[in-house]
Amino acid sequence: MIIKITKWLLLIIAFKMIVALIVAQYYTDPRRDIAARKKLYNTFNPNVVFIGTSRTLYGIDPALFDSLNGQKTRSYNFGIFSLSPYSSIQIANEILSDSPAVKTIYIELSALDYSTVALQPQQVIQDAVFRANVLADCPSIDFHDKVGSFLDGLNTTLFQMVSIAPQIASVKKALNPEDDPIEGNANLLANGHQYVASALSKTSDRIIANKSVTAQMLAIRPPSVRNTFYVSQLIKLIARARLLEKKVIFYFPNNIIRDEYLVLSQVTPFLPVENLIPLPEHNLFDALFKPENLFDAHHLNRQGAAIYTRFMQRKVTH
């Protein structure tokens, strides 16, 4: 029976891979596909890279960053929807190995709910192990929630591995693209950034909640227990970059949700000061949550991205 189930599973996965390969010939969203984004990245040939989730994709403007640096940098925005911390570290390690021109890598600190949107099939198990270790080392999350979170992620993983739903969605978008910054087709600039001109008309409860949670990071003090596993992975990446005479710098996204706070509050206080860009304070912090600087509750629009990019540039040059 086990052999029979295994054969059927392998057959389904093979069918999924064939469908994925066929669809990829006609439409691939580089905001959801790491391999597709790498091709664009290699074509651009940058010397500075920003790696992160969609909050980086929309919130960091490489052209403005380079302009403020007097064009001494040529930066690329490697923002991917729902990019996991594991994938961020893997991308950074590959860039350290394969891109001698890149001297500085900026990585968004995140701990989003489990997602396999950008995962390659061969990375699913490693990502699940990474997440399990992070959860195991997080005492602020009780055991029941840890188990529930991991099982939800495992269910998502198994579905993504065998389902052709993502490919069907890609075909629909190619045939009937939506006029939406996220659900619509990619509109990336050569430097990887996608900007959105539209803005919200008013503040929502979600924005208020995000601001409240993010503000807690400003007041955080080193807790008695660190997330040893997550911190060790980041310290290891910093050390490897240093050996190659390069630098890895971590930064916060423009907002943090509650589940992320539970993890990041036990990570960021233990990172070297020289490798961490703190959150902005006072009026600049408030600006990140004003509706005129957002196109939805989580993402900065073009005006908001300019504010955050200017802040980032000042922090790394002073």
Side-chain angles (χ1 to χ4, degrees), residues 135 141-152:
L135 288 172
I141 303 176
D142 64 43
F143 180 75
H144 180 270
D145 288 341
K146 289 178 181 179
V147 173
S149 178
F150 184 77
L151 291 178
D152 286 344

Side-chain angles (χ1 to χ4, degrees), residues 5-303:
I5 292 175
T6 302
K7 287 181 178 179
W8 274 107
L9 181 59
L10 291 175
L11 182 62
I12 293 172
I13 293 175
F15 176 69
K16 158 69 180 276
M17 294 181 68
I18 292 172
V19 173
L21 287 172
I22 294 173
V23 173
Q25 300 299 315
Y26 300 96
Y27 178 80
T28 299
D29 190 339
R31 301 171 304 175
R32 292 177 167 86
D33 189 282
I34 294 175
R37 180 56 73 86
K38 284 179 180 176
K39 292 180 180 179
L40 298 177
Y41 157 83
N42 288 330
T43 300
F44 190 73
N45 192 30
N47 57 22
V48 171
V49 183
F50 293 89
I51 302 172
T53 67
S54 58
R55 293 169 296 189
T56 287
L57 172 67
Y58 296 104
I60 302 294
D61 183 345
L64 176 58
F65 185 83
D66 295 342
S67 175
L68 294 171
N69 286 329
Q71 304 303 328
K72 294 179 181 179
T73 55
R74 179 175 172 81
S75 53
Y76 187 82
N77 185 323
F78 210 119
I80 297 280
F81 288 171
S82 300
L83 190 70
S84 70
Y86 168 81
S87 294
S88 294
I89 293 171
Q90 290 302 109
I91 293 170
N93 271 313
E94 290 179 14
I95 290 175
L96 288 174
S97 298
D98 303 334
S99 302
V102 175
K103 301 303 180 183
T104 308
I105 301 175
Y106 297 93
I107 302 179
E108 175 193 317
L109 289 164
S110 68
L112 292 174
D113 291 339
Y114 194 88
S115 174
T116 59
V117 168
L119 281 178
Q120 296 295 316
Q122 64 270 25
Q123 294 180 324
V124 167
I125 294 177
Q126 294 96 316
D127 191 87
V129 170
F130 185 101
R131 178 177 172 78
N133 281 315
V134 170
L135 288 172
D137 261 354
C138 192
S140 58
I141 303 176
D142 64 43
F143 180 75
H144 180 270
D145 288 341
K146 289 178 181 179
V147 173
S149 178
F150 184 77
L151 291 178
D152 286 344
L154 182 61
N155 182 59
T156 302
T157 299
L158 294 175
F159 177 78
Q160 289 280 113
M161 287 180 67
V162 301
S163 172
I164 62 171
Q167 283 67 46
I168 293 175
S170 294
V171 172
K172 287 182 177 179
K173 287 180 181 180
L175 296 176
N176 187 26
E178 297 181 40
D179 185 19
D180 182 88
I182 294 177
E183 297 304 324
N185 288 337
N187 187 24
L188 300 178
L189 299 175
N191 60 23
H193 177 50
Q194 179 169 338
Y195 68 83
V196 179
S198 62
L200 297 176
S201 59
K202 61 181 180 180
T203 297
S204 66
D205 291 341
R206 181 64 62 83
I207 294 174
I208 294 172
N210 289 346
K211 183 177 182 180
S212 176
V213 172
T214 309
Q216 294 179 49
M217 293 297 300
L218 288 172
I220 199 170
R221 295 294 180 268
S224 57
V225 179
R226 74 175 71 191
N227 193 306
T228 305
F229 176 77
Y230 199 165
V231 173
S232 69
Q233 298 303 301
L234 301 186
I235 295 297
K236 188 184 301 182
L237 184 63
I238 290 172
R240 180 167 183 246
R242 188 180 296 121
L243 286 174
L244 296 171
E245 298 184 341
K246 300 185 179 186
K247 193 167 187 178
V248 169
I249 299 176
F250 299 96
Y251 63 94
F252 291 94
N254 55 286
N255 62 65
I256 296 169
I257 62 176
R258 179 182 175 277
D259 288 346
E260 282 190 294
Y261 172 79
L262 295 176
V263 175
L264 296 181
S265 62
Q266 295 170 339
V267 172
T268 56
F270 301 102
L271 295 178
V273 175
E274 63 271 20
N275 297 97
L276 176 66
I277 299 176
L279 280 164
E281 298 182 353
H282 310 306
N283 293 337
L284 184 56
F285 177 83
D286 292 335
L288 300 179
F289 298 92
K290 291 183 177 180
E292 61 264 32
N293 295 326
L294 298 160
F295 72 84
D296 67 18
H298 298 287
H299 300 104
L300 296 168
N301 59 19
R302 189 173 193 173
Q303 182 170 289

